[in-house]
Amino acid sequence: MLKVKNQQYFHSVHLMEDKCKGCVNCIKRCPTEAIRVRDGKAHIIEERCIDCGECVRICPNQAKIVVADTLENLKAYKYNVALPAPAIYGQFREGIDPRHVMAALLAIGFDDVVDVAFAADLVGKKIREAISAPSEIRPFISSACPAVVRLIQVRFPNLVEHILPVLSPMRAAANIARNHVTEKMGLDPKDVGVWFISPCPGKVSAVNEPAGTEDNTISGAIPIAEVYPLIREKLNHNQEELDQIVADLKPGSGLGLGWARSGGENQSIGGSRQIAVDGIHSVIQILEDVERGKLSDIDYIEAQACVGGCVGGVLTVENSFITRRRVRILATDNAGRLDGVLCDEMACEALDNEDWFRHDRPIEPRPTLKLDDDMAVAIRKMEQMERIVEDLPGLDCGSCGAPNCRALAEDVVRGLANEMDCVFKLRERVAQLAGEMMELAEKAPPAMGHVEKKAEIENAIGEHSAKTKPDTEK
Ligand code: SF4
Ligand code: SF4
């Protein structure tokens, strides 16, 4: 739907070129080294971008944006179902019951709502069963965070088989919703819009380009930030109207709701041989340990790209430290609801449909970091790259437009940059050229007046050096 022409992969993160000042903040933060600054503007390397939203978070000029669906898009369908991410419930003041937020979604224009926390309760059960089954693979890694799934595809391709082939609560909720409206209500599938209410660009991209399944049951993704002011308005001024709707809703239990924050997924699964990691750079450290075989005594890794979990997504509204606390309180208040959820008719029917929860195709690696398909050429390029790295100053300053010296060396061997893009190498070269010119001047025959010639060259060199000095040194 939103795919940009000629792009191989769907991306929700885009650059507003006119706002970019080439400050290089984003290139240093990107976990897959997917950004370069060229001619004063950032450029995203399409195959490497995982839509984690780190650059959106860090750009001081709001030049990185997330392109997602809007409520306007609901008009394309006769019947619209909202799938609210659990992170939405922490956005509103303490004491707001999740059912009132679900009711407010109906009041702002949706015809139905299937709580993703409800689906998370069921997915938790399926994960528990999957990781208890005998398997050579250890640890399994959660597939719930699409930015982590893409990170593995791009930067840790050897680990794709560790991704547990259980669909995320978002996908399970969509399957439940589709079945309900078509089988139970008899609606034509093409008349039904199913919308994920998203905390992050990663989920927006995953909605448009699913991993692990061919079947795209979700029509689009709308940011939490877009529906937030409308829901708040309803919560503040239409309490009675909402009270009349809540009875028919099916919210998830406290455990399902807890998926909004780091550690909540593991709590919902139960067990002790699990770890939870949040923040994309910490996730990278853990994946490096998995690659080294250090975590084979662990059954399952809950890994979330955002610090604090989905409450820290860039499409949320509230401070994640505040929302984490609210989610914890809501999870405790609603903890007793799990038995009710699992006995619910809709849940029982869903649990009997194994394919609503399973990947139907493998997640493919996307190893964009290898230097060449031919192993011998790749090794030669690697050696060349190491020589260049040795030769660069190792300051990782980013002035060359690459995130660090190693990335510049890689760009050089790929034929995308020049060693002289490094300002320090350029200065070194200018100084060397100056020396050579001086030497030449010394060699000029006295009959040509070499003393004057030398003074002339010294002046020319002085002017040239002043022009090539970085601004900070002028
Ligand atoms: S952070 Fe990146 S996108 Fe934002 S202004 Fe700086 S270079 Fe441009
Ligand atoms: S942690 Fe949650 S909000 Fe952040 S990228 Fe992953 S799925 Fe999205």
Side-chain angles (χ1 to χ4, degrees):
M1 167 202 48
L2 295 161
K3 195 161 182 167
V4 174
K5 228 171 134 190
N6 298 331
Q7 277 202 341
Q8 195 180 358
Y9 301 106
F10 179 92
H11 290 294
S12 54
V13 174
H14 293 264
L15 175 79
M16 301 272 283
E17 207 175 293
D18 53 333
K19 287 195 172 181
C20 176
K21 297 197 168 136
C23 68
V24 308
N25 276 309
C26 58
I27 62 172
K28 301 188 102 12
R29 190 71 198 162
C30 177
T32 52
E33 297 183 348
I35 312 172
R36 299 289 183 274
V37 171
R38 295 280 179 264
D39 301 322
K41 302 286 177 193
H43 292 268
I44 303 174
I45 304 170
E46 207 248 309
E47 324 77 85
R48 289 192 185 187
C49 174
I50 59 169
D51 292 294
C52 62
E54 284 297 304
C55 57
V56 179
R57 220 186 294 274
I58 203 159
C59 176
N61 301 302
Q62 287 78 49
K64 291 279 175 57
I65 56 156
V66 182
V67 178
D69 290 287
T70 67
L71 288 169
E72 272 295 295
N73 299 11
L74 268 60
K75 289 180 184 156
Y77 298 90
K78 289 186 184 149
Y79 193 87
N80 289 288
V81 187
L83 310 177
I88 199 170
Y89 302 118
Q91 306 300 309
F92 305 96
R93 67 176 187 276
E94 221 170 299
I96 296 286
D97 188 291
R99 276 174 295 199
H100 281 97
V101 177
M102 292 169 75
L105 281 163
L106 297 176
I108 67 169
F110 289 96
D111 302 294
D112 212 336
V113 51
V114 173
D115 190 11
V116 174
F118 177 90
D121 281 325
L122 314 187
V123 172
K125 189 172 182 317
K126 294 291 177 190
I127 294 176
R128 201 160 43 242
E129 290 164 8
I131 60 177
S132 319
S135 168
E136 296 281 295
I137 298 169
R138 280 295 182 267
F140 281 111
I141 302 166
S142 169
S143 71
C145 174
V148 170
V149 170
R150 281 190 171 191
L151 174 74
I152 293 171
Q153 288 178 289
V154 168
R155 195 166 157 174
F156 299 93
N158 297 334
L159 298 185
V160 285
E161 63 174 16
H162 287 253
I163 300 170
L164 192 73
V166 173
L167 290 173
S168 67
M170 172 183 81
R171 293 250 155 238
N175 290 336
I176 293 169
R178 284 270 170 210
N179 177 69
H180 181 69
V181 291
T182 53
E183 301 294 319
K184 298 283 179 324
M185 297 174 68
L187 296 176
D188 187 335
K190 69 175 181 344
D191 290 336
V192 179
V194 175
W195 305 94
F196 181 63
I197 311 300
S198 180
C200 64
K203 291 276 194 199
V204 176
S205 297
V207 159
N208 288 281
E209 193 176 282
T213 177
E214 297 274 2
D215 203 10
N216 201 355
T217 45
I218 308 179
S219 316
I222 299 170
I224 285 180
E226 165 141 353
V227 296
Y228 171 83
L230 304 170
I231 293 180
R232 197 182 53 178
E233 182 71 15
K234 292 288 177 194
L235 292 171
N236 288 344
H237 302 294
N238 300 68
Q239 197 67 41
E240 280 179 27
E241 182 196 341
L242 301 184
D243 282 343
Q244 287 168 12
I245 314 174
V246 292
D248 296 329
L249 299 172
K250 293 178 192 291
S253 78
L255 286 171
L257 212 142
W259 281 58
R261 65 181 173 91
S262 176
E265 181 181 344
N266 276 347
Q267 206 174 351
S268 151
I269 297 163
S272 56
R273 286 161 48 107
Q274 287 137 247
I275 54 171
V277 53
D278 59 299
I280 194 83
H281 295 280
S282 304
V283 171
I284 288 170
Q285 285 174 7
I286 287 291
L287 294 178
E288 282 170 353
D289 281 348
V290 177
E291 227 171 21
R292 290 185 204 113
K294 274 174 75 178
L295 295 174
S296 48
D297 56 335
I298 295 291
D299 285 337
Y300 190 67
I301 299 177
E302 173 202 316
Q304 288 176 300
C306 297
V307 174
C310 296
V311 288
V314 292
L315 299 180
T316 61
V317 178
E318 264 285 18
N319 179 303
S320 69
F321 291 97
I322 297 170
T323 44
R324 226 184 309 177
R325 177 176 173 274
R326 287 181 190 158
V327 166
R328 204 171 49 239
I329 294 169
L330 282 172
T332 310
D333 290 351
N334 294 282
R337 216 187 265 158
L338 182 64
D339 288 343
V341 168
L342 295 179
C343 294
D344 178 87
E345 193 193 328
M346 193 154 103
C348 291
E349 189 186 357
L351 288 168
D352 284 343
N353 277 285
E354 219 34 66
D355 53 340
W356 292 5
F357 297 91
R358 302 292 295 185
H359 288 186
D360 54 34
R361 65 171 177 183
I363 293 179
E364 300 292 340
R366 279 169 36 187
T368 55
L369 306 185
K370 67 178 177 188
L371 291 171
D372 205 283
D373 287 337
D374 182 327
M375 185 59 95
V377 179
I379 290 171
R380 265 202 312 280
K381 284 188 177 173
M382 178 60 82
E383 286 165 359
Q384 187 193 353
M385 188 175 134
E386 291 305 331
R387 278 196 300 275
I388 298 171
V389 171
E390 279 286 295
D391 212 29
L392 289 170
L395 295 172
D396 294 341
C397 68
S399 306
C400 58
N404 51 56
C405 299
R406 176 165 281 276
L408 176 65
E410 189 190 327
D411 288 352
V412 172
V413 297
R414 286 182 191 277
L416 303 171
N418 189 294
E419 265 181 86
M420 289 308 127
D421 291 348
C422 168
V423 284
F424 299 95
K425 290 298 286 177
L426 182 68
R427 280 179 61 187
E428 216 176 274
R429 183 83 182 110
V430 168
Q432 187 192 346
L433 282 173
E436 284 169 13
M437 285 169 80
M438 292 286 290
E439 260 176 48
L440 279 175
E442 297 284 1
K443 282 179 187 153
M448 289 175 67
H450 78 261
V451 177
E452 291 78 7
K453 190 92 181 164
K454 189 176 164 193
E456 226 175 79
I457 289 171
E458 274 173 352
N459 281 343
I461 289 169
E463 277 170 29
H464 183 75
S465 306
K467 276 185 204 151
T468 54
K469 262 187 190 174
D471 280 351
T472 48
E473 292 191 16
K474 280 181 186 171

